[in-house]
Amino acid sequence: MTHSVSNSSIPNVVVASVDQMREAIRRKGHLKGRQVDALSLQEVRALIGEAPHRRDVLIEHLHKLNDTYRCLHDRHLVALANEMKLPMAEVFEVATFYHHFEVVRGDEAVPGLTVRVCEGLSCELAGAKQLIDKLPALLGSPDVRVIAAPCVGRCEQAPVAVVHQNPVPHATPELVAATVSAKQTHQAMTEHVDFEAYVADGGYRLLADLHTGKADAEQVLNAMEDSGLRGLGGAGFPAGRKWRIVREQPAPRLMAVNIDEGEPGTFKDRTYLERDPHRFLEGMLVAAHVVGIDAIYIYLRDEYHGCRALLTQALAHLRANPPCPLPHIELRRGAGAYICGEESAMIESIEGKRGEPRMRPPYIAQVGLFGRPTLEHNFETLYWVRDIVQKGADWFSGFGRHGRKGLRSFSVSGRVKQPGVKLAPAGITIQELIDEYCGGMLYGHALYAYLPGGASGGILPARMNDIPLDFDTLQPYGCFIGSAAVIVLSQYDSARDAALNMMNFFAHESCGQCTPCRVGTAKAAQLMQAKVWDNATLEDLNQVMTDASICGLGQAAPNPVRCVQQYFPEEIV
């Protein structure tokens, strides 16, 4: 049986309330969602200037707000979305993706100062946990917040704290407290080869000769190929071949330079940049000239505040005294996301988006930044261009040991007397590296294990101290060299603890785009805390992450786990 319902059966109160709502909407004329207030709009415009604004500078604008207010107030995000003609949801999802942005709702209190203590493996070995435990009581102010942070790229100075934007190397509670009291929150630039000194030593002559025709682009390409130089960000793709591939693509072509070295244990790019920024810039511009690049975007990790000031100054000097017409160059700032070291995630970030890796194909060389063919390079790869071309390909390939060719910049940290960046022959063994370049092990310490390629490069025992360290030599042992970040462990350390530190890092830094990585890293970290490892379940997770993750983070995350299972079984039973 059915019943009809007439309007008269609807309670008058409901009809009245609906009519009132409709009238209120007509009377107020308000749009859905939170509206912009005049003060917030004024504050945003004071920082970013008047419209229009390009979509790709969203993250740069978020940095301006975050630097000024030490957070991102939601009212400012609403105003920014309005000013950039973007959906509020889009601005919000970008702002909440990056670790260095803190979105604050309403009148929520914001600490006046944040102290980040690195919890990377090298800093953990040097006492970072104890530092984190002691600092809150010592600083004793609700206006100062102490938090743990992933690797900040200063492993040779472990433990490291960062007071706002100022790193405190070899940090003690007293040193950090003194830095906070002095209100020293910005890092000073380091001593380096400046523009005048670089030019006096023949700098930018190669670039000028290419422009005038005294040097030939094809000869430069041949030198790059003959040298055997491979990408030094970790992937190891032959640099000369990459130049040719991108050169063959239709114009306009772009370049993206990766200085987002977030791999725990890696600090070589920062070290070279702090010493000689113009050597890198000339290599970058030579590559741009040879390949035919119209615009260059340099992506620098946010933890390197001093490097950003240095690069800004170096670019200003170069533009004021150009050796030839320069392409368009923009320096872009990361925001605390390890995943943006992956080339396609970096490109997404340069475009002002969440740093999520892209599916391939198409490849970056064909469809990259802003949909154009893109030459993507690591900082150090470009750093060696001038030397290789001017000194000859044989100069670079003439180095090497144990059947390998070339030079490698090893970032060495951990239980050695002299940590730091060690420029050594490719193919050197860990024992040779420690004995000849690092002054040996710390007093009372003996080599127990080592990580040859940072967090994702695996862990090997001391008995395997004679393996050549280079591309393609470590894969048979379940490891790889990556960016040549070497972390040395002694008999006082634990391989399983090191693997857990790495997995916690991966879980923290997973972008969350794909389920195998997002869930797998977190679940693996949980299982690895057990006294006895459930190896069968861990291997199931490892296999799924390796096979089904979109990018290298999830694919390489199982490496430390598998190495502990294979080489250190006594630690997990």
Side-chain angles (χ1 to χ4, degrees):
M1 180 181 295
T2 59
H3 299 275
S4 61
V5 180
S6 67
N7 287 339
S8 60
S9 65
I10 302 176
N12 289 336
V13 64
V14 175
V15 174
S17 62
V18 170
D19 289 340
Q20 289 169 359
M21 289 172 59
R22 288 174 177 162
E23 178 59 29
I25 291 172
R26 282 194 297 270
R27 189 168 58 248
K28 293 182 179 179
H30 279 184
L31 300 173
K32 291 182 178 179
R34 180 167 175 173
Q35 302 306 297
V36 182
D37 66 88
L39 175 61
S40 297
L41 190 60
Q42 180 182 351
E43 290 171 339
V44 167
R45 285 176 175 171
L47 289 174
I48 71 172
E50 295 290 333
H53 300 280
R54 289 164 21 209
R55 168 66 181 80
D56 60 285
V57 296
L58 172 59
I59 293 173
E60 296 297 304
H61 288 346
L62 290 172
H63 272 302
K64 291 175 182 177
L65 288 165
N66 201 67
D67 288 346
T68 301
Y69 297 98
R70 300 289 174 91
C71 67
L72 295 173
H73 291 289
D74 55 357
R75 62 186 181 87
H76 285 145
L77 295 182
V78 173
L80 181 62
N82 178 83
E83 195 70 359
M84 295 190 71
K85 303 295 187 287
L86 292 173
M88 176 58 187
E90 193 170 333
V91 174
F92 185 81
E93 73 172 8
V94 172
T96 53
F97 179 84
Y98 296 92
H99 302 316
H100 291 182
F101 294 146
E102 183 173 1
V103 178
V104 172
R105 307 288 186 118
D107 298 325
E108 183 181 339
V110 180
L113 190 65
T114 296
V115 176
R116 290 180 167 87
V117 178
C118 176
E119 60 177 356
L121 179 57
S122 300
C123 285
E124 183 178 292
L125 297 177
K129 287 183 177 179
Q130 294 87 335
L131 186 62
I132 293 172
D133 291 341
K134 292 178 181 178
L135 275 177
L138 181 63
L139 298 177
S141 170
D143 201 40
V144 179
R145 175 180 58 173
V146 178
I147 62 174
C151 184
V152 298
R154 295 182 175 273
C155 314
E156 84 281 24
Q157 303 169 357
V160 178
V162 181
V163 178
H164 185 47
Q165 297 179 353
N166 185 60
V168 183
H170 307 294
T172 64
E174 293 73 23
L175 277 175
V176 175
T179 305
V180 170
S181 298
K183 301 187 185 303
Q184 183 183 352
T185 57
H186 294 276
Q187 179 189 2
M189 285 188 290
T190 57
E191 291 292 328
H192 61 277
V193 179
D194 62 16
F195 180 79
E196 291 77 13
Y198 184 74
V199 171
D201 190 41
Y204 292 114
R205 189 176 303 157
L206 172 60
L207 180 62
D209 287 348
L210 278 169
H211 177 68
T212 59
K214 290 182 180 179
D216 180 66
E218 188 63 29
Q219 291 176 343
V220 172
L221 264 172
N222 289 335
M224 294 295 293
E225 291 172 330
D226 294 344
S227 70
L229 178 68
R230 296 170 64 170
L232 298 172
F237 192 86
R241 191 192 309 171
K242 182 182 284 190
W243 290 18
R244 286 200 186 274
I245 291 171
V246 179
R247 193 185 191 198
E248 293 168 356
Q249 304 303 312
R253 295 175 286 271
L254 306 178
M255 179 188 288
V257 181
N258 190 339
I259 323 181
D260 193 59
E261 56 171 359
E263 183 76 15
T266 310
F267 47 91
K268 61 182 178 62
D269 291 352
R270 171 187 59 80
T271 300
Y272 286 139
L273 177 53
E274 289 175 341
R275 293 176 184 172
D276 199 350
H278 288 282
R279 189 171 299 272
F280 150 68
L281 289 175
E282 183 169 15
M284 176 186 80
L285 291 167
V286 167
H289 181 94
V290 171
V291 177
I293 297 296
D294 289 273
I296 301 171
Y297 295 81
I298 305 171
Y299 191 85
L300 178 67
R301 73 178 303 199
D302 194 35
E303 288 83 353
Y304 292 171
H305 299 286
C307 289
R308 187 170 68 254
L310 192 156
L311 255 184
T312 300
Q313 181 188 79
L315 285 168
H317 288 159
L318 179 61
R319 288 176 176 129
N321 303 275
C324 64
L326 303 176
H328 177 76
I329 304 172
E330 289 192 27
L331 177 58
R332 291 299 183 86
R333 181 178 172 186
Y338 166 72
I339 192 63
C340 289
E342 196 275 341
E343 62 176 7
S344 66
M346 176 188 68
I347 283 173
E348 289 286 298
S349 190
I350 292 173
E351 293 180 353
K353 304 171 187 173
R354 294 163 62 93
E356 295 178 338
R358 297 177 180 177
M359 297 292 289
R360 296 173 184 77
Y363 295 97
I364 299 303
Q366 301 164 313
V367 182
L369 189 56
F370 306 121
R372 299 307 309 164
T374 302
L375 177 66
E376 189 276 341
H377 260 316
N378 166 258
F379 167 92
E380 195 201 349
T381 312
L382 298 169
Y383 184 84
W384 291 115
V385 169
R386 176 190 165 191
D387 283 331
I388 287 173
V389 176
Q390 292 184 334
K391 296 179 180 179
D394 291 343
W395 167 79
F396 187 82
S397 61
F399 295 93
R401 290 189 189 178
H402 307 296
R404 310 301 298 178
K405 291 183 179 181
L407 286 167
R408 293 288 174 271
S409 299
F410 294 94
S411 304
V412 186
S413 61
R415 308 298 193 179
V416 294
K417 288 180 181 176
Q418 299 167 11
V421 175
K422 312 297 178 181
L423 184 61
I428 194 171
T429 68
I430 185 63
Q431 197 64 59
E432 292 169 338
L433 186 63
I434 293 171
D435 294 343
E436 298 176 30
Y437 289 83
C438 302
M441 298 289 292
L442 285 172
Y443 179 76
H445 291 256
L447 178 63
Y448 171 69
Y450 64 101
L451 287 75
S456 52
I459 309 173
L460 292 171
R463 67 179 181 272
M464 300 174 69
N465 64 349
D466 57 352
I467 301 172
L469 300 177
D470 196 13
F471 295 115
D472 310 320
T473 61
L474 295 161
Q475 282 86 334
Y477 309 99
C479 299
F480 59 84
I481 194 169
S483 58
V486 177
I487 305 176
V488 180
L489 307 183
S490 77
Q491 74 273 26
Y492 299 108
D493 305 314
S494 161
R496 69 169 281 163
D497 289 347
L500 177 58
N501 179 287
M502 300 295 102
M503 191 59 73
N504 282 329
F505 172 81
F506 291 133
H508 182 266
E509 294 298 319
S510 173
C511 75
Q513 181 180 192
C514 62
T515 303
C517 177
R518 181 184 68 250
V519 176
T521 52
K523 183 62 176 177
Q526 180 184 353
L527 290 171
M528 291 166 69
Q529 296 179 50
K531 184 177 180 180
V532 177
W533 282 10
D534 182 349
N535 287 318
T537 303
L538 276 170
E539 184 50 34
D540 283 345
L541 283 173
N542 292 341
Q543 197 63 51
V544 171
M545 284 192 284
T546 302
D547 292 343
S549 295
I550 291 174
C551 80
L553 191 156
Q555 294 164 10
N559 289 343
V561 181
R562 286 171 164 163
C563 284
V564 171
Q565 292 169 326
Q566 182 175 356
Y567 302 119
F568 305 91
E570 70 281 359
E571 291 196 21
I572 57 176
V573 294

